[in-house]
Amino acid sequence: MTPVLSAHVTVHPRSPIGPINRRLFGTFVEHLGRSVYDGIYEPKHPQADSSGFRRDVIDLVRELGVTTIRYPGGNFVSGFRWEDSVGPRESRPRRLDLAWHSTETNEVGLREFSHWLELIGSELMLAVNLGTRGIQEALDLLEYANLRSGTALSNRRIADGHPEPYGVTMWCLGNEMDGPWQLGHRSAEDYGKLAAQTARAMKSFDPTLELVVCGSSSASMPTFGEWERVVLSHTYDEVDYISCHAYYEDHGDRGDFLASGVNMDRFIDSAIATADHVKAVRRSEKSINISFDEWNIWYNERFERVDKIQGSQNWPIAPRLLEDVYTVTDAVVFGSLLISLLKHADRVTSASLAQLVNVIAPIMTEPGGDAWRQTTFYPFAASAAHAVGSALPVSIECATYDTATYGRVPLVDAIATHDDTTRSAAVYLVNRSQTDPLEVTIDLGGLAFSTPSALTLADDDPLAANTLTNQNRVGLQNNASLRSDGITLTIVLPPISWTEITSSRSIETKES
């Protein structure tokens, strides 16, 4: 590989962006498709434990490095009656899930999911239904989950087999209430009032709760910006986060798709600006942070055109929905979105990859069969393991290219991290060029990289993917082009590639 282009990246360790909150590496499990049933839970599987959870999936989730999991939705939560998911399994009702046109058995509920979280070592981020329900139901769930004992609801939890409180600290006040597809969709004014009332009520129980108010479900929504302003004008004093949601897909213009991180950067910057405008108007000393609690690559057009379930008498259980197969190009864009989140570590202090297993997921399973890593698994696992400490800004000098949506975009995107405690550091790089390798020189700005190593995700076929029959087609490979003189690093980035350079390495590489 002979690079024909060069780029220069300078790391600025003396002006850190901010500490990287471990919640940035959260994910999302919704009762949707095969995410729960035949995903994390399959009692008849050879790898199932005594509770019905797949041990092979547990191992992969641990390897992924997930810190927080948002649950149980998503669109699902806006029609969810939490009482259905507690108590003896044999007494739990089956319900229609209008969001995804399916039947919910409630076989896995709060107790079972909490047990699974203990197995994988992740924090629960719980969403309440503000679509078809309201303040009282949210308070009831909070009391059931978090009060130690002494009331009908807390004693009911104890009787249900969970003597200790769940201790949930982070709560989402509904989901995507700006979207007309959402059960109980409201205007910003109406939702803002309801969210404020619910938040005040929940914090009267426990003022230390961290509450997330619904922001826009997409930067392309016609109400984006104004929605945030109105909602925060009602809720600013009561909440801690406003959410952002964003999904990206290749609509046939690969150059445009590779620049998706530009859209995420602008989305975050606009949401922060709006939140800070409300802060200024209210003369508040408090800042609202961003919970980017849904983000991923999602081929939604294909779902709407082909896979959407219809029919008033057709309500399947755990149907195959949103089971996108991710390519190398998808994983490179995915890695660039992680870079965007890290670029905003000072204000994006929580994020949830949507989702975790089978549904637009880094982990796939086959009923009765294997579980395997999708291409997107690798950038997430590597970043979760090594992007620690503080995010460091970088300046980039490189060629640009024209895009239809975002104008001129640099071929290289990058971010760096450094941990004062361990003295470890990492640099993350994306080459958006579809044809040319890039030789990148990195000025470390005084950071010491002890025995640096590099892993790259790339392939001669940008559409290569991991599938049931070829589970290790794509993975991380050692990038032997890395050179270091103690002051700078030099590396060659293949076309359409994501690369991590670290001062130590513990992520599993592609099997040879």
Side-chain angles (χ1 to χ4, degrees):
M1 182 186 298
T2 303
V4 296
L5 296 173
S6 62
H8 192 276
V9 172
T10 302
V11 180
H12 303 287
R14 292 176 181 82
S15 52
I17 296 167
I20 299 167
N21 193 306
R22 300 313 300 162
R23 283 178 174 165
L24 204 66
F25 302 105
T27 60
F28 177 29
V29 170
E30 181 173 2
H31 283 250
L32 192 178
R34 295 193 310 119
S35 177
V36 175
Y37 308 109
D38 286 348
I40 68 173
Y41 178 79
E42 189 181 344
K44 295 181 180 179
H45 192 276
Q47 289 264 8
D49 65 12
S50 59
S51 299
F53 293 111
R54 288 183 57 158
R55 288 188 292 264
D56 53 350
V57 174
I58 289 170
D59 290 342
L60 285 176
V61 173
R62 287 173 176 164
E63 181 186 338
L64 191 62
V66 174
T67 56
T68 305
I69 297 185
R70 182 169 173 252
Y71 177 83
N75 294 350
F76 172 81
V77 81
S78 291
F80 179 54
R81 287 175 264 196
W82 71 266
E83 303 92 336
D84 292 347
S85 72
V86 300
R89 276 180 170 170
E90 61 274 14
S91 302
R92 296 179 191 173
R94 293 190 174 198
R95 300 286 190 190
L96 297 185
D97 169 20
L98 298 179
W100 301 107
H101 209 90
S102 305
T103 297
E104 172 56 47
T105 67
N106 286 302
E107 189 173 352
V108 171
L110 183 57
R111 176 167 57 88
E112 292 79 18
F113 192 73
S114 177
H115 171 67
W116 184 75
L117 287 175
E118 291 173 1
L119 296 176
I120 64 169
S122 291
E123 176 190 3
L124 175 60
M125 178 180 176
L126 201 56
V128 300
N129 178 357
L130 292 188
T132 57
R133 309 191 89 184
I135 303 168
Q136 187 60 60
E137 291 84 2
L139 285 175
D140 287 349
L141 176 55
L142 174 60
E143 183 180 327
Y144 177 92
N146 281 13
L147 186 66
R148 182 167 300 280
S149 64
T151 67
L153 287 169
S154 59
N155 289 342
R156 180 179 176 185
R157 183 200 67 246
I158 295 169
D160 288 343
H162 203 280
E164 293 299 313
Y166 291 106
V168 182
T169 61
M170 196 166 185
W171 297 74
C172 301
L173 302 175
N175 175 74
E176 292 187 348
M177 298 308 298
D178 64 323
W181 58 84
Q182 199 74 205
L183 291 176
H185 162 63
R186 291 171 170 82
S187 67
E189 186 76 23
D190 289 343
Y191 168 70
K193 291 177 180 178
L194 175 60
Q197 292 167 345
T198 306
R200 279 192 291 270
M202 293 179 73
K203 287 207 170 182
S204 69
F205 173 88
D206 181 356
T208 70
L209 296 177
E210 298 173 73
L211 304 182
V212 185
V213 72
C214 290
S216 293
S217 51
S218 165
S220 63
M221 292 295 288
T223 54
F224 171 57
E226 181 64 5
W227 173 275
E228 280 76 5
R229 185 193 69 79
V230 172
V231 168
L232 284 176
S233 70
H234 288 288
T235 62
Y236 199 92
D237 294 337
E238 282 73 42
V239 302
D240 306 277
Y241 294 87
I242 189 163
S243 70
C244 291
H245 291 181
Y247 295 98
Y248 301 92
E249 61 183 302
D250 188 346
H251 296 284
D253 185 336
R254 187 172 291 162
D256 229 45
F257 180 48
L258 286 163
S260 296
V262 174
N263 176 272
M264 181 180 268
D265 288 334
R266 294 173 182 174
F267 187 5
I268 294 170
D269 289 341
S270 296
I272 291 171
T274 303
D276 287 349
H277 165 74
V278 178
K279 174 182 178 178
V281 169
R282 298 180 68 84
R283 293 170 173 79
S284 176
E285 296 182 359
K286 166 187 170 183
S287 293
I288 296 292
N289 284 333
I290 304 296
S291 176
F292 216 118
D293 50 40
E294 287 190 33
W295 69 273
N296 203 350
I297 314 301
W298 176 16
Y299 286 87
N300 187 42
E301 284 187 359
R302 184 165 59 212
F303 166 71
E304 293 287 346
R305 186 178 66 253
V306 177
D307 298 330
K308 199 167 186 178
I309 301 170
Q310 300 181 42
S312 62
Q313 302 303 315
N314 181 28
W315 301 89
I317 296 172
R320 289 183 180 263
L321 289 176
L322 281 61
E323 297 193 13
D324 289 348
V325 176
Y326 291 125
T327 66
V328 166
T329 304
D330 293 327
V332 171
V333 174
F334 181 99
S336 74
L337 300 178
L338 279 166
I339 288 173
S340 292
L341 293 174
L342 288 167
K343 283 180 185 176
H344 296 89
D346 57 331
R347 297 296 292 274
V348 181
T349 54
S350 178
S352 303
L353 165 64
Q355 296 189 18
L356 183 57
V357 181
N358 287 330
V359 174
I360 53 173
I363 298 169
M364 297 298 293
T365 72
E366 186 66 16
D370 291 343
W372 66 97
R373 306 167 188 83
Q374 290 235 59
T375 60
T376 55
F377 183 100
Y378 296 99
F380 190 101
S383 300
H386 298 126
V388 296
S390 295
L392 306 180
V394 302
S395 52
I396 302 171
E397 299 173 34
C398 68
T400 60
Y401 72 103
D402 288 318
T403 67
T405 304
Y406 310 112
R408 295 197 68 79
V409 171
L411 287 176
V412 173
D413 199 8
I415 192 67
T417 67
H418 181 254
D419 184 23
D420 288 332
T421 303
T422 63
R423 312 305 297 173
S424 62
V427 178
Y428 298 91
L429 302 142
V430 163
N431 179 6
R432 292 176 172 135
S433 173
Q434 300 180 56
T435 55
D436 296 317
L438 276 161
E439 184 175 72
V440 182
T441 301
I442 304 166
D443 181 345
L444 295 172
L447 284 181
F449 263 59
S450 173
T451 60
S453 59
L455 296 172
T456 292
L457 191 147
D459 197 277
D460 291 339
D461 179 4
L463 298 181
N466 294 340
T467 62
L468 175 62
T469 56
N470 195 355
Q471 297 171 15
N472 297 301
R473 171 69 175 83
V474 178
L476 296 176
Q477 298 173 302
N478 292 319
N479 190 323
S481 72
L482 179 66
R483 298 289 182 268
S484 172
D485 62 9
I487 300 172
T488 61
L489 302 172
T490 303
I491 190 169
V492 177
L493 307 179
I496 310 183
S497 64
W498 176 91
T499 295
E500 175 192 65
I501 306 173
T502 60
S503 56
S504 61
R505 187 182 75 228
S506 60
I507 296 297
E508 179 180 331
T509 59
K510 176 184 174 182
E511 295 178 9
S512 56

